Amino acid sequence: MPEKVPKAIKRVSKQDLVGLSSKSERLNLGRGREPGWLDQHLADDATGSLRAILLEHPPKLCYRCLVLIKRADREVEHFLLDVLPEDFDRLEDIAGEALLAFTRWVLMQIPLSPLPAE
């Protein structure tokens, strides 16, 4: 039984998220987007990230994860999704150069406001 939140950042596809959201729905866990919404709004080749941020215990032990992924309209979608530890562990880690590229991509998504001239 996990006692703390893993530090790994996982790679997820549209298909991964639809499956995880469907499982979350069946188990009455938290999900920020319904499987049908994901299927309709994410590009078929969309790849994003999933990062565990909390250890939760509602009706089953799970990780509350933050998901970042591009929608079909190229905007970035972020939402929370509860994932069972064994499902989290099965996902591929984002590491090395891929993690650096992903971090740069995430930082580019933060809107910047111009500073006043004075």
Side-chain angles (χ1 to χ4, degrees):
M1 175 185 284
E3 295 181 19
K4 59 183 181 176
V5 175
K7 296 189 184 312
I9 299 173
K10 302 291 189 167
R11 183 181 321 277
V12 288
S13 67
K14 173 183 177 174
Q15 293 74 26
D16 293 329
L17 289 175
V18 170
L20 291 169
S21 182
S22 296
K23 189 170 192 175
S24 239
E25 186 173 51
R26 283 192 312 276
L27 297 173
N28 294 316
L29 302 176
R31 63 201 177 287
R33 295 289 179 255
E34 301 292 328
W37 189 96
L38 294 168
D39 192 46
Q40 182 180 359
H41 289 89
L42 298 181
D44 289 337
D45 62 348
T47 301
S49 71
L50 184 138
R51 180 174 176 257
I53 56 175
L54 291 171
L55 184 61
E56 292 287 339
H57 300 279
K60 289 181 122 342
L61 181 75
C62 63
Y63 299 130
R64 175 125 328 135
C65 298
L66 177 63
V67 176
L68 291 171
I69 194 163
K70 277 192 180 179
R71 297 188 311 233
D73 64 5
R74 310 316 281 164
E75 291 294 319
V76 175
E77 187 69 24
H78 57 280
F79 58 93
L80 298 175
L81 177 64
D82 288 352
V83 177
L84 298 179
E86 58 269 22
D87 292 331
F88 183 88
D89 291 341
R90 276 193 282 269
L91 295 168
E92 177 189 353
D93 288 357
I94 301 176
E97 287 297 318
L99 181 58
L100 182 59
F102 172 74
T103 302
R104 287 182 177 138
W105 174 76
V106 169
L107 290 172
M108 295 298 294
Q109 306 311 308
I110 300 171
L112 298 176
S113 299
L115 295 173
E118 57 281 339

